[in-house]
Amino acid sequence: MSSAICYWCGREATSMEHVPPKCLFPEEKDVKDVLNKSFRNNLITVPSCNEHNMSKSNLDEYLMATLSGKVGNNFVAYVHTATKVSRSRMRNPKIIKVDKNAILKLKNKEFPVLWITVDTIKLRHSFEAITRALYFHENNEVFKGSCFVVSTLFDHEDDPKGTEFNKRSSALLESEQRHWKTELKGSNPDIFTYQFSEADGFKCKTLAMTFYEGTRVFVILNGMTVAEIEEAKPKLAFLTDAIFGDLN
């Protein structure tokens, strides 16, 4: 491991880290009775230093609990929520803040639903970590730019402008993704797939991620320097005003 460097900071790596976190992928013992399939095929790992591996262990569990229980995800996510996530919540009831319990009726079947308060700071950090790790995995180098996360996962009734921004941004990026000529990847598509766009004229590229076939997350990787950002501001302002000007 002495020659490996951390995917995030570039310092000497001391361990290997799963990306996305291994806990998102159901264990065989939890699914074998209902799903005759493995969901841990060819999991990706990247080198990591102690700081960036150990500091996110609690974030990984929070990410698992939040994503797997989201309405609209597939049946695998529901099984995962009823097994591994349930055990995690029993061990640590404070993993997620539950506002209330409810029952969702779909096709004459009832499913328990938890209404939770989403910690956007924790989730954005987790999605950025996954993005930087996948970039390292694909390019064998540390991404030194900034990341901007977009997802309707962050929609909230108390933030109508932010919610509208997320919806428009996600719709725009989904439309663009249909024209990407890059490969859609993921050895366990029921759990996770990802696709990088080509770099654009602003040295930016976008990562599209899908969790449990129902949760979409986009991360824009900005590779411009501070000077290049200042130079590009007039052009970028014209584009953002045209699309989001009424939200100002």
Side-chain angles (χ1 to χ4, degrees), residues 7-8 17-25 44-46 52 56 59-60 63-64 67 122-138 143 147 149 191-196 207-211 217 219 221:
Y7 73 91
W8 189 305
E17 180 178 321
H18 284 92
V19 52
K22 190 176 182 179
C23 61
L24 267 62
F25 300 84
I44 299 171
T45 58
V46 294
H52 286 101
K56 59 187 289 295
L59 294 181
D60 290 349
L63 181 68
M64 172 188 69
L67 288 180
K122 287 183 178 180
L123 291 182
R124 289 183 189 278
H125 184 84
S126 292
F127 293 137
E128 180 175 351
I130 294 171
T131 298
R132 292 182 180 277
L134 289 175
Y135 182 92
F136 187 92
H137 174 70
E138 294 282 324
F143 177 67
C147 296
V149 183
I191 311 302
F192 177 72
T193 59
Y194 72 94
Q195 182 181 14
F196 281 99
L207 172 64
M209 298 183 284
T210 302
F211 298 88
V217 177
V219 182
L221 297 87

Side-chain angles (χ1 to χ4, degrees), residues 4-129:
I5 61 172
C6 174
Y7 73 91
W8 189 305
C9 63
R11 294 196 293 263
E12 182 176 350
T14 55
S15 60
M16 298 299 290
E17 180 178 321
H18 284 92
V19 52
K22 190 176 182 179
C23 61
L24 267 62
F25 300 84
E27 299 178 62
E28 181 182 350
K29 67 178 182 180
D30 289 329
V31 298
K32 64 181 181 180
D33 292 336
V34 289
L35 298 166
N36 185 25
K37 187 176 181 180
S38 172
F39 297 100
R40 290 191 167 186
N41 301 308
N42 303 315
L43 299 184
I44 299 171
T45 58
V46 294
S48 177
C49 66
N50 282 336
E51 177 185 346
H52 286 101
N53 193 351
M54 300 303 294
S55 66
K56 59 187 289 295
S57 57
N58 290 334
L59 294 181
D60 290 349
E61 195 171 30
Y62 179 77
L63 181 68
M64 172 188 69
T66 304
L67 288 180
S68 65
K70 183 177 177 296
V71 174
N73 287 340
N74 58 20
F75 182 67
V76 185
Y78 176 76
V79 174
H80 201 38
T81 301
T83 53
K84 187 175 182 67
V85 176
S86 178
R87 292 195 300 271
S88 295
R89 290 189 63 227
M90 289 181 65
R91 290 195 306 270
N92 181 12
K94 295 182 180 180
I95 292 177
I96 55 176
K97 180 183 176 182
V98 179
D99 293 335
K100 62 180 180 179
N101 293 280
I103 298 295
L104 176 66
K105 294 184 179 181
L106 293 173
K107 297 180 180 179
N108 298 321
K109 293 184 179 180
E110 294 186 349
F111 299 92
V113 175
L114 300 178
W115 291 84
I116 68 171
T117 298
V118 173
D119 190 323
T120 58
I121 295 177
K122 287 183 178 180
L123 291 182
R124 289 183 189 278
H125 184 84
S126 292
F127 293 137
E128 180 175 351

Side-chain angles (χ1 to χ4, degrees), residues 128-241:
E128 180 175 351
I130 294 171
T131 298
R132 292 182 180 277
L134 289 175
Y135 182 92
F136 187 92
H137 174 70
E138 294 282 324
N139 301 281
N140 198 32
E141 65 178 19
V142 175
F143 177 67
K144 298 180 180 180
S146 59
C147 296
F148 183 74
V149 183
V150 174
S151 176
T152 55
L153 185 64
F154 304 127
D155 292 355
H156 197 284
E157 60 183 9
D158 293 335
D159 182 19
K161 286 189 176 181
T163 296
E164 182 62 22
F165 175 84
N166 283 327
K167 289 180 178 178
R168 290 189 200 179
S169 300
S170 296
L172 181 63
L173 292 169
E174 285 181 12
S175 177
E176 289 182 354
Q177 186 184 5
R178 300 188 190 103
H179 303 286
W180 295 354
K181 295 180 174 59
T182 52
E183 182 182 356
L184 179 68
K185 298 182 179 181
S187 298
N188 304 276
D190 294 305
I191 311 302
F192 177 72
T193 59
Y194 72 94
Q195 182 181 14
F196 281 99
S197 72
E198 304 90 343
D200 62 20
F202 295 104
K203 294 186 179 179
C204 295
K205 59 172 54 182
T206 301
L207 172 64
M209 298 183 284
T210 302
F211 298 88
Y212 305 111
E213 297 185 300
T215 301
R216 305 293 305 281
V217 177
F218 295 95
V219 182
I220 300 171
L221 297 87
N222 181 1
M224 290 190 290
T225 63
V226 174
E228 288 171 334
I229 291 174
E230 287 299 316
E231 184 180 349
K233 273 186 177 180
K235 295 180 181 178
L236 292 171
F238 174 79
L239 292 173
T240 54
D241 286 346

